[in-house]
Amino acid sequence: MAAATGVQAPGLAAAAAAGAAGRAAEPVHITIRGLTKHFQGGAVYDNFDLDVPRGKFVSVFGPNGCGKSTLINLIAGLIPADAGTILFGGKPLRETKIGYVFQNYREALFPWVSAWSNIEYPLKLAKVPAPERARRVDRLVAHLGVKIDLKRYPYELSGGQQQLVSIMRALVVDPEVLFLDEPFSALDYEMTLFMREQLQRVFNETRTTMVLVSHDLEEAVYLADRVLLLSRRPATIADFPDVPMPRPRSDETLSDPAFVLLKGHCLEIFQREVRKA
Amino acid sequence: MRRETFLPLVGVAGLVALWYLAVWARVVDPVLLPPPEDAFAAMVKGMAGGRLGYDFWRTVERTAYAIAIAAVIAIPVGIALGSNERIYRSVEFVIDFFRSTPASAMFPLFLVIFGVGDMTKILVAAFGAALVILFNVAYGVMNARKTRLLAAKVMGATRFRVLTDVMLLESLPQTFVGLRNGVSLALVIVVVAEMFIGSTDGLGHRVFEAQQLFEMPDMYAAIFAAGALGYGLNLLFLVVEKRFVHWSGK
Ligand SMILES: Nc1ncnc2c1ncn2[C@@H]1O[C@H](COP(=O)(O)OP(=O)(O)OP(=O)(O)O)[C@@H](O)[C@H]1O
Ligand SMILES: [Mg+2]
């Protein structure tokens, strides 16, 4: 029967397969299979599978302590997995350039050198010669239209400026993937809104694959191409919907009925997962 | 100049006034407590080409050697121990034990091994200071911010680069705490050693000799010189720290 279908209507079969796989047209960047991680309290991930699409912005949202940070830390290699494979376009992590932005910028930047030196540090690690390092930092600064005095020490900058510096430090190596763990949650509201726009601009211009953990549903949906909704631990994918709003997005996006509907759907799933306790 | 600048002088003036009062009221024998100006004159005369100046510099020299030896040994060892918590935990008790042992109790042992020369005084002081520095450096390294280490790691730093680029700098503020405490302790040990183990010079010797000869203004002058030295050394390290560890406490 299956063979017959294959012979008679190959086009239709392919379409069906594409439908089943969700998005065959969407190339996969990060392939996660059988990911398992236990802490003292039990499993956070147990045989977890996920495909992160290439060049897309994925937001991760879920109940407190469900394992959002653990997921990106496992993918970024900050903590070891108990089992499972994680491949970036078929390559292992050590052959992949990644960037990581921490929530706590104050403890992530190096206070002993200037903001500029902080940004060029990963290039130094990669043994890029000094003139080339300067060129690349300059290019990034111009590209993002950053107006910060980068000769200052990090502790002389405002919180938002410091986080912008850590984002630049993560971007300067042209990473294939950028991870961000609640990057704006230590900033005040005005700064958060401003930084959201900065991040959206960076994404629109670079189209780097990004994975953002956020505890703000509106932010998560607003920035994302897809929203990864996790269940309570051991975390499973509760839903992974598309966010089809066109870019660049703006305040109007927030009141777009389709956006509001999608946000409502995510909230419903989130609350369903929270109540499962 | 702002009035606050002169506030510390109030205490000094108070102390001098109290001293005059004690002299005037004859609270103690005038031979034992000369008026402040006598002690001050003895200090100026002694420091300007007199015995006191020579003894002062001998003590500075010994303390400097002691702290230099202590730092050269304790900082690298502290880093090595601090960057490997398991090793540190295994020697922590021994370090804590000897850190709590009064270094003066080690004099006889060092005397037997190194004789009565300068070497003994310097080494006992270095021993005491080294343990203080070691302890602080190791803790500075161990308490390096986790996030900063992870940040370096995720940017592709090797274990060695994490150590040199992050841990070392992270531990600097704590290292300076150790150096300041270490130099205070080294000075105490040097001065005590100069008093008792067959010394012919140094501030400790000066204080002791002046007391033996009943030259009370000289004795007070030597005591104040020792105080000034301790204060000055602490200040020196604070200034150096402010310059090189500008991020401390930020
Ligand atoms: N080092 C650890 N040792 C033991 N348990 C841990 C450790 N790290 C995380 N956990 C546990 O694993 C679970 C997932 O933690 P994780 O930090 O990934 O959650 P999260 O979804 O990011 O939470 P939050 O919303 O608070 O940021 C939590 O229950 C947490 O208590
Ligand atoms: Mg988290």
Side-chain angles (χ1 to χ4, degrees):
Chain A
M1 164 86 186
T5 313
V7 171
Q8 285 169 358
L12 223 140
R23 298 144 186 96
E26 201 170 62
V28 174
H29 195 169
I30 312 174
T31 317
I32 300 167
R33 292 291 175 271
L35 184 68
T36 301
K37 180 73 186 177
H38 290 258
F39 286 122
Q40 289 91 317
V44 179
Y45 287 97
D46 189 18
N47 217 355
F48 181 84
D49 296 342
L50 174 70
D51 287 334
V52 175
R54 183 181 292 275
K56 298 284 172 175
F57 196 118
V58 173
S59 290
V60 184
F61 193 76
N64 280 334
C66 73
K68 302 181 290 292
S69 303
T70 303
L71 178 63
I72 66 169
N73 290 347
L74 285 166
I75 305 176
L78 290 183
I79 52 174
D82 297 340
T85 55
I86 300 171
L87 292 174
F88 300 76
K91 297 177 301 176
L93 174 67
R94 70 186 126 74
E95 290 168 28
T96 309
K97 269 188 286 184
I98 60 165
Y100 193 113
V101 177
F102 294 85
Q103 173 183 4
N104 194 341
Y105 47 82
R106 223 171 250 125
E107 292 193 356
L109 290 171
F110 300 153
W112 40 83
V113 288
S114 66
W116 175 280
S117 303
N118 266 281
I119 297 170
E120 72 161 1
Y121 180 73
L123 296 175
K124 239 173 162 170
L125 284 178
K127 301 196 172 68
V128 176
E132 169 71 7
R133 291 204 297 266
R135 222 177 48 72
R136 287 178 64 173
V137 176
D138 278 334
R139 197 183 59 192
L140 184 65
V141 170
H143 193 68
L144 300 181
V146 171
K147 290 178 194 65
I148 304 176
D149 182 3
L150 294 175
K151 287 190 198 65
R152 293 187 167 278
Y153 292 112
Y155 55 80
E156 296 175 313
L157 304 175
S158 76
Q161 290 174 328
Q162 288 182 49
Q163 194 58 296
L164 197 54
V165 168
S166 24
I167 293 176
M168 289 168 75
R169 181 174 74 172
L171 285 173
V172 78
V173 290
D174 295 326
E176 294 165 48
V177 190
L178 180 65
F179 298 95
L180 306 105
D181 190 358
E182 303 197 16
F184 310 141
S185 58
L187 303 175
D188 64 41
Y189 191 60
E190 189 187 337
M191 206 48 178
T192 303
L193 293 184
F194 173 72
M195 293 297 294
R196 240 179 240 178
E197 288 318 312
Q198 293 270 335
L199 185 61
Q200 184 184 196
R201 258 192 63 199
V202 171
F203 176 73
N204 291 346
E205 282 170 27
T206 63
R207 293 288 161 169
T208 306
T209 305
M210 294 193 184
V211 182
L212 167 86
V213 173
S214 176
H215 65 271
D216 180 331
L217 183 58
E218 185 163 274
E219 169 176 292
V221 179
Y222 177 73
L223 287 170
D225 294 309
R226 298 196 53 189
V227 183
L228 177 63
L229 294 159
L230 293 177
S231 70
R232 280 197 178 280
R233 60 187 285 189
T236 53
I237 302 177
D239 201 359
F240 196 13
D242 271 304
V243 185
M245 309 307 132
R247 292 178 186 276
R249 295 172 186 168
S250 65
D251 291 349
E252 275 129 61
T253 311
L254 298 178
S255 48
D256 184 324
F259 178 87
V260 174
L261 207 66
L262 184 58
K263 206 178 93 181
H265 169 75
C266 292
L267 185 62
E268 205 174 294
I269 290 181
F270 171 74
Q271 280 173 333
R272 192 186 73 204
E273 291 307 325
V274 169
R275 274 192 227 102
K276 271 186 187 166
Chain B
M1 222 182 274
R2 299 215 342 270
R3 275 163 75 184
E4 277 72 26
T5 319
F6 297 104
L7 273 181
L9 292 180
V10 174
V12 177
L15 182 68
V16 172
L18 214 64
W19 188 345
Y20 270 121
L21 197 70
V23 171
W24 173 77
R26 294 185 168 257
V27 178
V28 278
D29 191 323
V31 179
L32 296 184
L33 189 69
E37 67 263 26
D38 286 9
F40 187 69
M43 181 140 161
V44 171
K45 195 166 141 262
M47 288 303 286
R51 256 318 290 254
L52 183 59
Y54 174 75
D55 286 325
F56 183 88
W57 286 112
R58 288 295 289 147
T59 300
V60 169
E61 204 182 318
R62 290 186 180 116
T63 309
Y65 274 126
I67 200 74
I69 293 171
V72 163
I73 294 170
I75 292 178
V77 176
I79 290 164
L81 292 183
S83 56
N84 191 329
E85 198 153 340
R86 279 177 61 91
I87 298 185
Y88 184 78
R89 293 296 167 214
S90 60
V91 294
E92 184 177 28
F93 174 73
V94 177
I95 293 174
D96 251 1
F97 184 84
F98 281 103
R99 205 168 60 95
S100 316
T101 307
S104 42
M106 306 297 282
F107 276 142
L109 176 64
F110 278 67
L111 275 173
V112 172
I113 302 174
F114 299 104
V116 286
D118 254 9
M119 188 63 108
T120 300
K121 301 182 188 75
I122 292 169
L123 287 182
V124 177
F127 173 80
L131 289 169
V132 173
I133 297 170
L134 181 71
F135 176 82
N136 277 286
V137 172
Y139 263 87
V141 172
M142 274 190 288
N143 291 338
R145 298 299 159 103
K146 260 263 155 43
T147 312
R148 227 163 255 150
L149 303 178
L150 286 178
K153 186 182 158 196
V154 83
M155 287 187 276
T158 57
R159 270 181 62 109
F160 182 74
R161 287 303 291 262
V162 172
L163 180 70
T164 56
D165 296 359
V166 187
M167 281 190 180
L168 276 191
L169 289 145
E170 277 273 283
S171 66
L172 264 191
Q174 195 65 32
T175 300
F176 266 93
V177 171
L179 283 173
R180 268 191 289 128
N181 291 338
V183 81
S184 304
L185 183 63
L187 180 63
V188 169
I189 297 171
V190 165
V191 169
V192 171
E194 287 168 347
M195 281 184 185
F196 300 116
I197 2 182
S199 281
T200 52
D201 53 22
L203 281 176
H205 173 72
R206 187 96 297 274
V207 172
F208 190 65
E209 194 181 60
Q211 183 249 357
Q212 293 288 298
L213 300 174
F214 255 59
E215 287 165 353
M216 285 305 152
D218 280 352
M219 191 191 82
Y220 286 105
I223 291 173
F224 286 127
L229 177 55
Y231 188 83
L233 285 173
N234 196 42
L235 200 63
L236 177 74
F237 277 88
L238 274 178
V239 169
V240 173
E241 178 179 352
K242 256 233 152 60
R243 238 193 97 72
F244 288 101
V245 197
H246 55 84
W247 66 91
S248 179
K250 296 253 168 69

